[in-house]
């Protein structure tokens, strides 16, 4: 970690403490992976010819995309926490994550696997939780009555 300017009075938490707290908060609310085993009985229906319905294919692609992002988040948050405690080396990517957390921005490690968004980190995390919740309900309960098009990685898949 590069030295950072600190306040002249030591009454507030250090940047490292702020980042560690933010990382812990994100880790606590970060959704778990979306598992095919969670699928309801009517989620992945097939047509008479044995091919899946196109809506099932859309859901399968969304699961893959969200799981890549969630996997990246879980792995980097765990590694980041170790690095903050001094148990492992803070790589260049993790240092970028540190800076992004301080600036309330989505770390590049996550943005590279995520859907396009201009939201700051705090809003982005809330949005991610809602998106995963929508996909998880679809996975468990089957096709929803209404689709949250902008909540998907690739809404063009419906066309």
């Amino acid at each position: 970690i590069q030295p950072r300017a600190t306040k002249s009075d030591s009454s507030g938490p250090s940047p490292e403490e702020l980042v560690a707290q933010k990382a812990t908060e994100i880790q606590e609310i970060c959704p778990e992976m979306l598992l095919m085993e969670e699928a309801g009985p009517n989620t992945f229906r097939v047509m008479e010819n044995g091919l899946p319905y196109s809506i099932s294919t859309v859901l399968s692609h969304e699961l893959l995309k969200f799981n890549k992002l969630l996997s990246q988040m879980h792995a980097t948050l765990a590694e980041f926490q170790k690095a903050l405690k001094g148990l492992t080396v803070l790589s260049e990517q993790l240092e970028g994550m540190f800076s992004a957390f301080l600036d309330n921005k989505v770390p590049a490690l996550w943005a590279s696997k995520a859907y396009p968004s201009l939201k700051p980190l705090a809003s982005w995390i809330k949005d991610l939780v809602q998106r995963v919740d929508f996909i998880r309900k679809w996975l468990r309960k089957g096709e929803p009555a209404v689709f949250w098009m902008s909540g998907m990685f690739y809404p063009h898949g419906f066309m």
Side-chain angles (χ1 to χ4, degrees), residues 28-44 58-71 74 125 127-144 146-148 151-153:
E28 289 172 356
I29 64 170
C30 187
E32 293 300 318
M33 303 282 286
L34 297 156
L35 304 175
M36 293 295 275
E37 292 80 23
E38 295 180 62
N42 296 320
T43 302
F44 293 104
V58 170
L59 177 58
S60 295
H61 291 164
E62 292 297 314
L63 291 175
L64 289 172
K65 293 286 196 176
F66 275 105
N67 280 340
K68 283 182 183 178
L69 172 59
L70 293 172
S71 175
H74 286 288
I125 292 293
D127 183 61
L128 172 68
V129 169
Q130 291 173 339
R131 287 171 184 248
V132 172
D133 185 51
F134 168 73
I135 297 296
R136 183 165 271 123
K137 284 179 184 170
W138 181 3
L139 178 64
R140 290 178 178 170
K141 297 180 180 180
E143 190 176 318
V146 178
F147 289 93
W148 180 19
M152 297 183 196
F153 266 88

Side-chain angles (χ1 to χ4, degrees), residues 4-36:
R4 303 200 188 279
T6 59
K7 295 188 233 176
S8 57
D9 64 346
S10 60
S11 61
S14 70
E16 290 79 10
E17 291 168 333
L18 290 172
V19 168
Q21 180 183 355
K22 189 175 282 191
T24 299
E25 289 170 1
I26 292 171
Q27 234 174 351
E28 289 172 356
I29 64 170
C30 187
E32 293 300 318
M33 303 282 286
L34 297 156
L35 304 175
M36 293 295 275

Side-chain angles (χ1 to χ4, degrees), residues 114-126:
Y115 43 86
S117 178
L118 298 175
K119 293 183 179 193
L121 180 62
S123 298
W124 186 86
I125 292 293
K126 288 178 186 174

Side-chain angles (χ1 to χ4, degrees), residues 34-100:
L34 297 156
L35 304 175
M36 293 295 275
E37 292 80 23
E38 295 180 62
N42 296 320
T43 302
F44 293 104
R45 297 178 295 138
V46 292
M47 296 183 282
E48 290 179 14
N49 62 6
L51 296 174
Y53 281 95
S54 58
I55 200 75
S56 298
T57 304
V58 170
L59 177 58
S60 295
H61 291 164
E62 292 297 314
L63 291 175
L64 289 172
K65 293 286 196 176
F66 275 105
N67 280 340
K68 283 182 183 178
L69 172 59
L70 293 172
S71 175
Q72 177 78 356
M73 290 178 69
H74 286 288
T76 55
L77 281 167
E79 191 67 21
F80 190 55
Q81 291 283 23
K82 289 179 189 175
L84 290 174
K85 293 174 185 170
L87 302 174
T88 186
V89 177
L90 188 67
S91 68
E92 187 176 329
Q93 288 102 350
L94 293 180
E95 189 169 346
M97 194 167 162
F98 184 92
S99 297

